[in-house]
Amino acid sequence: MPLLEVEGLKTHFFGKRSVTKAVDGVSFTLDHGEILGIVGESGSGKSVTSLSLMRLVDHPGRVVAGSIRFEGRDLLTLSREEMRKLRGRRMSMIFQEPGTSMNPVLTVGFQIGEAIRSHERVEPAEVRRRTMELMEMVGIPDAKQRLNQYPHQFSGGMLQRLMIAMGLALSPSLLIADEPVTALDVTIQAQILDLLKDLRDTTNAAVLLITHDMGVVAETCDRVVVMYLGAIVEEAPVETLFDDPKHPYTQGLLGSIPSIEEKVEWLQAIPGTIPNANEIPTGCRFSNRCPKVMDVCHTVDPALEFVGEGHRVACHLYTETEDRDV
Amino acid sequence: MSDLLLDVRGLVKEFPVEGSKDVVHAVSSVDLSVQRGETLGLVGESGCGKTTMGRLVLRLIDPTAGSVIINGQDLGSLSREKLRKVRSTMQIIFQNPFASLNPRMSVEEILMRPMRIHLRIAGAERSKRVDELLEKVGLRPEHRSRYPHEFSGGQRQRIAIARALAVEPAFLVLDEPTSALDVSVQAQILNLLRRLQQDLGLTYLFISHDLSAVRHMSDRIAVMYLGKVVELADSETLFAAPKHPYTRALMSSIPVTNPRLRRERVRLTGDIPSPINLPSGCAFRTRCPWAEQRCTREEPALLDERDADREHLVACHFVDQIVSSEAPTP
């Protein structure tokens, strides 16, 4: 049984005049010890998906359909208190801006310790010992001294290490990382991605990595889900996705990244801009920007279908002709 | 040397630190030159001084020392009035198109204003040029009466580019022009910038932290670290055979979009030191896996270490040893 099984998840935001379907029917699974990437551009719904898993979606947003089975329980049926006990202990989350996720007037040692104290009854000396152990695990030198320092005394990369330490304090089985390296310099990014991979290897925690960066996906993930305007358009093992991308959006996304391997004169940009999430085109949501658009694409929303081992695509180019006539 | 557009000599910029005698060493004695029609890429991580360089080159801020010569004119020697005139030949595109356009001005007003200030042309002519500019950057005539908030990030960056082109500049500083944009939109803007360069013969200083974008756009690339240029070469050479240990680490840190190429990285330990207390000797030595005693004592000069016929400047005492060796594990 997979660790996490998301089925038909829909999270909508209810505005005064319109409903924004930020996440509109998303299904995927995640195994123990696996790193799954959710990749997409702004408005793809990747962050709202991760917040929905943690049940942290705020008013006026609401999960309106679907199920989230995690360690055998449907998170959407749990009470607030049951959910609170789960967060931090079994699943935890780190965010893009490590600086703004910490309290500036409390020492980092206190804040990491708090993650332990809020879920377990342990002696202060024990909290201190475990905090130091966590800081060492995520590669912070001189943990004993740095324990007593405040967030502003740490660099961005070090703060992200602290956030990871906090996230892993109670050995959760799932770590959700929402753009964990986007705010960091590239040499520091590499350090943090290496750390995430090392920690996965040592703790066997599953990682759900939310990112807009195909390079980060290629370097880090085992499997990838590509999202566009609230839905999954393609899902594949990481090598398959980069060797043989099927969806025109995935192809466009890969073609628009300048390569460091070879120099091309022109990049294959995707024409147009991403529509607002409350103006999703009818039929296929990518139809208004798709270079391979067909008549059927304007009327029928393609389902996510298998095209190979673990490889699913939502595109009429790959559906059987019989289906197309229906 | 008639095709030299920009020549920067010994440029230094120090910012005072409030309430102390310390200074931030943002740029420390940089020499650079840009040929007409060329794109020079300026790459480095946060705090390396690349943005300050862009501001200094346009004299949006005054240097602490050194000179900036554009078209043979030393900007430091010009009167205010003369400087204002020279400014119409050089423009800048900023990173954030949400902050760089006045939200209360229509696109038409945004584009006509620089023409009114810098060009002596009649109102009707200005208005006609607005349509031409919009077409050049891939927008439509009906966009002229709209306001910035009605546009997406990519379209706003197009407006910012049109505004820069309004005064017919020869030289553009592009300061992270696509960093705030989604990848699919970034590709559109990079393609647009390249086409404009070809059509109008523009010269670019392309500043970015994104090595793949810099490689894509630049003829030559200067790598900066803590206010200094540590390596400079044409982009093919730099990517094929980087020589400075920092450049090598930077390149091996870029996430490559090929999962079969998960490479062994030159791992850098630690963080970028504070630009207030620069390390003695080589500024990179605190993170360099090859650092030795000499690096602490002596600052390496930026010397030509070419293998072929093209210039390849490197500031490192141990270039020869490093190029032929793997990084020692820290």
Side-chain angles (χ1 to χ4, degrees):
Chain A
M1 193 178 65
L3 172 71
L4 174 73
E5 214 171 347
V6 177
E7 192 58 51
L9 181 71
K10 291 188 181 188
T11 305
H12 294 176
F13 288 79
F14 297 88
K16 281 208 178 88
R17 285 183 215 93
S18 62
V19 178
T20 302
K21 297 173 179 174
V23 177
D24 200 21
V26 160
S27 308
F28 62 89
T29 62
L30 176 59
D31 276 326
H32 291 275
E34 187 182 31
I35 303 184
L36 174 70
I38 298 190
V39 67
E41 299 181 285
S42 13
S44 63
K46 55 190 192 301
S47 287
V48 177
T49 300
S50 63
L51 290 174
S52 304
L53 300 185
M54 294 291 282
R55 282 201 29 206
L56 289 173
V57 176
D58 239 347
H59 181 79
R62 210 165 67 224
V63 175
V64 294
S67 67
I68 303 168
R69 293 198 75 79
F70 173 69
E71 297 189 322
R73 293 200 284 176
D74 187 349
L75 298 187
L76 297 177
T77 63
L78 296 187
S79 70
R80 269 165 186 266
E81 183 53 25
E82 287 171 314
M83 197 59 213
R84 192 191 67 76
K85 283 184 180 157
L86 218 62
R87 277 189 221 114
R89 204 196 297 251
R90 301 308 306 152
M91 57 198 299
S92 58
M93 186 157 180
I94 58 172
F95 299 91
Q96 176 170 345
E97 295 278 353
T100 58
S101 312
M102 292 193 113
N103 188 331
V105 298
L106 297 173
T107 65
V108 301
F110 181 86
Q111 295 185 64
I112 298 174
E114 198 172 30
I116 303 170
R117 282 191 304 274
S118 60
H119 287 281
E120 288 176 19
R121 278 169 183 263
V122 272
E123 295 295 311
E126 171 70 3
V127 172
R128 200 179 148 80
R129 190 189 60 77
R130 280 170 58 180
T131 302
M132 251 152 56
E133 222 173 72
L134 284 162
M135 287 172 71
E136 272 157 25
M137 181 173 81
V138 297
I140 293 176
D142 310 321
K144 200 170 176 182
Q145 285 87 48
R146 304 217 73 180
L147 202 66
N148 299 317
Q149 292 186 326
Y150 292 87
H152 77 269
Q153 293 168 291
F154 290 80
S155 66
M158 283 294 156
L159 283 174
Q160 197 56 288
R161 286 174 191 270
L162 289 169
M163 291 304 301
I164 294 172
M166 220 184 281
L168 295 176
L170 299 164
S171 327
S173 56
L174 171 63
L175 180 69
I176 300 176
D178 188 357
E179 302 272 11
V181 297
T182 306
L184 306 175
D185 277 317
V186 63
T187 54
I188 312 295
Q189 275 191 9
Q191 293 174 1
I192 299 294
L193 293 177
D194 284 349
L195 174 66
L196 279 178
K197 282 191 280 187
D198 290 348
L199 291 173
R200 183 273 304 266
D201 294 343
T202 51
T203 65
N204 203 36
V207 180
L208 188 65
L209 183 71
I210 316 286
T211 181
H212 71 284
D213 188 332
M214 277 291 191
V216 169
V217 168
E219 295 260 348
T220 322
C221 300
D222 303 314
R223 216 150 46 82
V224 198
V225 157
V226 183
M227 286 187 73
Y228 183 76
L229 275 181
I232 295 176
V233 296
E234 186 158 5
E235 178 194 338
V238 69
E239 293 186 348
T240 311
L241 190 89
F242 284 86
D243 286 349
D244 187 20
K246 292 283 191 201
H247 199 284
Y249 176 64
T250 315
Q251 292 168 353
L253 212 50
L254 289 170
S256 52
I257 306 168
S259 165
I260 58 154
E261 318 256 288
E262 53 177 343
K263 200 160 181 169
V264 293
E265 184 162 20
W266 303 102
L267 300 169
Q268 297 167 27
I270 301 175
T273 45
I274 304 163
N276 284 330
N278 52 11
E279 295 164 357
I280 297 175
T282 52
C284 171
R285 56 199 70 228
F286 189 55
S287 56
N288 65 335
R289 300 177 73 196
C290 184
K292 296 176 181 167
V293 67
M294 304 176 290
D295 287 344
V296 62
C297 306
H298 296 296
T299 49
V300 183
D301 191 6
L304 201 57
E305 309 268 12
F306 278 99
V307 292
E309 178 93 45
H311 193 176
R312 296 193 297 166
V313 183
C315 178
H316 291 299
L317 286 172
Y318 307 100
T319 46
E320 299 298 325
T321 356
E322 308 78 278
D323 294 352
R324 231 181 266 171
D325 297 332
V326 174
Chain B
M1 292 295 273
S2 64
D3 54 354
L4 196 65
L5 183 124
L6 170 70
D7 197 22
V8 168
R9 289 294 144 216
L11 207 56
V12 177
K13 182 65 187 178
E14 293 169 352
F15 292 105
V17 177
E18 231 171 284
S20 113
K21 281 180 199 152
D22 293 336
V23 290
V24 175
H25 301 272
V27 171
S28 313
S29 79
V30 168
D31 300 333
L32 279 180
S33 61
V34 186
Q35 307 290 316
R36 206 173 296 278
E38 166 187 63
T39 299
L40 177 71
L42 207 52
V43 73
E45 299 181 284
S46 31
C48 76
K50 57 190 192 297
T51 291
T52 305
M53 275 298 297
R55 305 280 191 281
L56 286 170
V57 159
L58 299 178
R59 218 176 178 87
L60 296 175
I61 51 176
D62 290 329
T64 308
S67 61
V68 176
I69 298 162
I70 285 188
N71 275 328
Q73 285 179 297
D74 186 341
L75 296 188
S77 69
L78 298 180
S79 66
R80 273 182 96 83
E81 184 53 26
K82 279 239 176 76
L83 184 62
R84 203 178 65 83
K85 279 198 178 127
V86 176
R87 282 235 170 90
S88 72
T89 65
M90 46 196 212
Q91 292 288 309
I92 182 166
I93 310 284
F94 296 101
Q95 173 170 353
N96 187 347
F98 292 82
S100 66
L101 300 174
N102 187 333
R104 301 177 60 162
M105 284 164 82
S106 67
V107 169
E108 184 177 71
E109 289 167 321
I110 289 171
L111 298 185
M112 293 213 336
R113 191 151 192 221
M115 291 190 243
R116 205 162 52 231
I117 293 169
H118 285 293
L119 303 182
R120 289 191 181 180
I121 49 176
E125 176 70 6
R126 288 204 291 264
S127 174
K128 201 176 121 228
R129 289 208 35 175
V130 168
D131 285 344
E132 288 168 15
L133 285 166
L134 288 174
E135 197 200 325
K136 253 185 206 151
V137 299
L139 294 171
R140 293 192 302 275
E142 64 261 34
H143 287 137
R144 60 188 293 156
S145 54
R146 296 197 194 157
Y147 287 82
H149 75 268
E150 298 176 71
F151 295 91
S152 67
Q155 288 172 317
R156 282 185 218 208
Q157 203 58 305
R158 288 174 194 270
I159 297 168
I161 293 169
R163 177 179 60 184
L165 295 178
V167 294
E168 302 181 319
F171 175 54
L172 290 186
V173 172
L174 308 168
D175 188 3
E176 304 268 11
T178 58
S179 302
L181 306 176
D182 277 312
V183 253
S184 68
V185 180
Q186 157 174 318
Q188 296 173 6
I189 298 298
L190 293 180
N191 282 344
L192 172 67
L193 288 169
R194 168 158 292 177
R195 211 192 59 237
L196 291 170
Q197 182 171 38
Q198 290 178 355
D199 292 352
L200 306 171
L202 297 169
T203 305
Y204 290 157
L205 181 65
F206 187 89
I207 300 171
S208 179
H209 71 285
D210 181 345
L211 279 148
S212 33
V214 167
R215 161 148 204 215
H216 177 72
M217 292 299 288
S218 310
D219 300 303
R220 289 188 306 136
I221 297 172
V223 181
M224 288 188 73
Y225 186 79
L226 275 178
K228 294 194 179 89
V229 173
V230 296
E231 185 160 6
L232 194 157
D234 64 279
S235 72
E236 290 311 304
T237 308
L238 191 80
F239 274 80
K243 294 191 178 216
H244 195 282
Y246 176 63
T247 315
R248 294 185 62 182
L250 204 56
M251 298 215 168
S252 71
S253 304
I254 314 169
V256 177
T257 52
N258 181 349
R260 293 182 204 283
L261 276 182
R262 293 185 183 175
R263 296 147 308 157
E264 268 311 299
R265 294 186 168 118
V266 178
R267 282 190 195 228
L268 284 188
T269 48
D271 289 302
I272 302 170
S274 154
I276 296 172
N277 298 306
L278 291 177
S280 64
C282 173
F284 184 57
R285 69 171 165 85
T286 56
R287 300 173 77 199
C288 180
W290 288 276
E292 289 186 27
Q293 275 296 309
R294 185 177 170 199
C295 308
T296 317
R297 293 193 309 267
E298 224 180 292
E299 189 187 333
L302 191 63
L303 300 173
D304 199 339
E305 306 279 355
R306 72 179 72 195
D307 298 321
D309 58 343
R310 283 182 289 190
E311 183 185 58
H312 192 159
L313 306 179
V314 189
C316 176
H317 293 307
F318 299 104
V319 182
D320 299 330
Q321 290 96 307
I322 287 168
V323 168
S324 55
S325 77
E326 288 299 306
T329 33

